[in-house]
Amino acid sequence: MTHSAQPSPLEARSSGPLAGKVRVPGDKSISHRALILGALSVGETRISGLLEGEDVLNTAKAMRALGAQVERTGEFAWSIRGVGVGGFAQPQVPLDFGNSGTGCRLVMGAVAGCPITAIFDGDASLRTRPMRRVLDPLELMGARVRAGGESGRLPLTLNGACDPLPILYRTPVASAQIKSAVLLAGLAAPGATTVIETEASRDHTELMLKHFGAQIVSTREGPHGRRITLTGQPELHGAEVVVPADPSSAAFPIVAALIVQGSDIVLSDVMTNPLRTGLMTTLREMGAAIEASERRGDAGEPMAQIRVRASKLRGVEVPPERAPSMIDEYLVLAVAAAFAEGPTIMRGLQELRVKESDRLEATAAMLRVNGVRVEIAGNDLIVEGRGHVPGNGLVATHMDHRIAMSALVMGLASDQPVKVDDTSFIATSFPDFIPMMRGLGAAFG
Ligand code: S3P
């Protein structure tokens, strides 16, 4: 499903206290992985709580094109009958991942281990994003890229390997997408495929592979890294997957409740995997009143109920090694930082430059146009918090859902309204964002 909506602008205005209890949609990372592993398994996989956003629906469509039976059985409930490891069929249509780097890169890995040819494509944003970082290890495993050029940009044609080779690979950047692509290709290779990362990235692929029956071992490597070894050619069997609520989506109501005076909200079933909780750690350091209760776990993924109350925030320094655990949250953290007292220094943000947009530049632009002082120093972002935000700016969203949601959150507490040029990309990850926030008391429109 390629994004086709017309630009749809929206304004956020100063709101009364936010209140209520909501469940944000299912985790995007886990939703993609559940569909892909379901498609690579034998037997039925039942998923509940799937994120039905455009990014994930594009992955579902790709799994169908690759031969899996994928059915929606109810609200957020899906059933998949897979083809087994290495069993993908030749797709008859190009695989279009729309706005989604995760869907595209993970499926490249899964296809690389199968003797088929597939065309990968995406929207204008995805066509600018680097694919070499995933194609390099997949070529070492025997896959061939037949188009796409040196830069490896989409659209490109990937020939999967007839006899994929297991490799030992050190990821050049902390990226769960690169790690996952190698592991998914390694499923079809004989023997051990090992990925070493110097900074641990989200481990949902590892946890879910185990849940589907693969043998996979993860050990510490150096102070912040991991060494992950997968035994190839397992028989994956269909499994039940309950998708917890997405902490990266929860980030928006959390920051909104912190900055809108008098707010008190509760978010249920939020995934609290420690490799995803960098934002909560940082916000607590800033003085945020965030409490987690009712902790429980499913398929190795912990979750909790989160209560957030409006808080007086102070600026902090965020260390670079925290980046992988909050890589998608810096935009909305920058909004919180603008309402804090004192500077917030966020270090080591180079990976933000290759997301759905150049998020380092886009974050600075979003704040500047609303009267916040902000500086980019190398790969660091420094936001001068002054306890309030003037607002009255028009924010360019650059086909990036998280810019749109961050700017709208900022407008709920700024002195003057904040306008965004296009909210349509919010549908990629959080289709109900606008009504859900309105339900909590947000003044949009
Ligand atoms: C994701 C990994 C991250 C993140 C993305 C989802 C995943 O990307 O930004 O939104 O599900 O593996 P990188 O692994 O490239 O940092």
Side-chain angles (χ1 to χ4, degrees), residues 345-365:
I345 306 166
M346 302 167 228
R347 300 220 185 264
L349 305 190
Q350 57 278 5
E351 274 299 294
L352 290 195
R353 294 198 183 274
V354 291
K355 294 298 177 189
E356 285 83 332
S357 65
D358 177 342
R359 285 189 177 157
L360 200 46
E361 291 296 340
T363 305

Side-chain angles (χ1 to χ4, degrees), residues 24-238:
V24 301
D27 185 71
K28 184 147 68 77
S29 295
I30 292 183
S31 295
H32 284 298
R33 286 160 173 80
L35 290 168
I36 296 168
L37 288 190
L40 287 173
S41 297
V42 173
E44 187 183 10
T45 288
R46 286 172 185 273
I47 309 171
S48 60
L50 190 86
L51 166 62
E52 294 178 339
E54 288 173 6
D55 280 8
V56 172
L57 296 179
N58 281 328
T59 293
K61 211 169 157 193
M63 293 305 103
R64 252 185 222 128
L66 289 163
Q69 280 178 41
V70 181
E71 242 182 278
R72 187 176 191 263
T73 53
E75 206 184 14
F76 315 123
W78 291 65
S79 159
I80 300 156
R81 285 186 183 276
V83 295
V85 167
F88 276 161
Q90 175 73 45
Q92 300 306 311
V93 291
L95 307 178
D96 184 346
F97 292 91
N99 197 245
S100 178
T102 307
C104 180
R105 293 182 177 129
L106 267 54
V107 175
M108 281 179 174
V111 163
C114 303
I116 58 169
T117 299
I119 298 170
F120 287 77
D121 205 354
D123 69 10
S125 155
L126 193 54
R127 282 181 173 200
T128 67
R129 296 181 66 186
M131 295 298 156
R132 263 285 137 217
R133 49 176 55 200
V134 171
L135 298 173
D136 283 343
L138 298 181
E139 285 183 336
L140 292 175
M141 300 176 87
R144 291 287 165 259
V145 182
R146 281 206 294 135
E150 270 305 291
S151 68
R153 299 283 196 267
L154 299 184
L156 60 80
T157 303
L158 191 68
N159 274 352
C162 291
D163 295 303
L165 300 169
I167 58 169
L168 182 150
Y169 194 70
R170 282 178 193 275
T171 54
V173 288
S175 164
Q177 296 178 359
I178 304 175
K179 170 177 65 180
S180 301
V182 173
L183 293 173
L184 291 171
L187 279 173
T193 292
T194 297
V195 180
I196 300 174
E197 42 183 15
T198 44
E199 303 277 347
S201 65
R202 63 190 70 191
D203 59 357
H204 309 305
T205 302
E206 295 93 301
L207 294 172
M208 203 180 286
L209 276 168
K210 212 175 267 173
H211 184 60
F212 277 75
Q215 203 184 320
I216 183 162
V217 178
S218 175
T219 54
R220 286 191 179 276
E221 177 87 8
H224 308 294
R226 293 269 199 286
R227 168 188 287 256
I228 303 114
T229 299
L230 168 75
T231 304
Q233 301 182 337
E235 169 130 337
L236 297 184
H237 48 78

Side-chain angles (χ1 to χ4, degrees), residues 224-283:
H224 308 294
R226 293 269 199 286
R227 168 188 287 256
I228 303 114
T229 299
L230 168 75
T231 304
Q233 301 182 337
E235 169 130 337
L236 297 184
H237 48 78
E240 301 273 327
V241 180
V242 180
V243 184
D246 193 329
S248 298
S249 296
F252 301 103
I254 288 174
V255 170
L258 289 173
I259 62 176
V260 175
Q261 272 191 19
S263 297
D264 187 349
I265 67 164
V266 174
L267 302 169
S268 53
D269 300 339
V270 180
M271 191 236 292
T272 52
N273 180 321
L275 294 169
R276 295 287 298 280
T277 49
L279 176 73
M280 299 241 234
T281 305
T282 305
L283 290 172

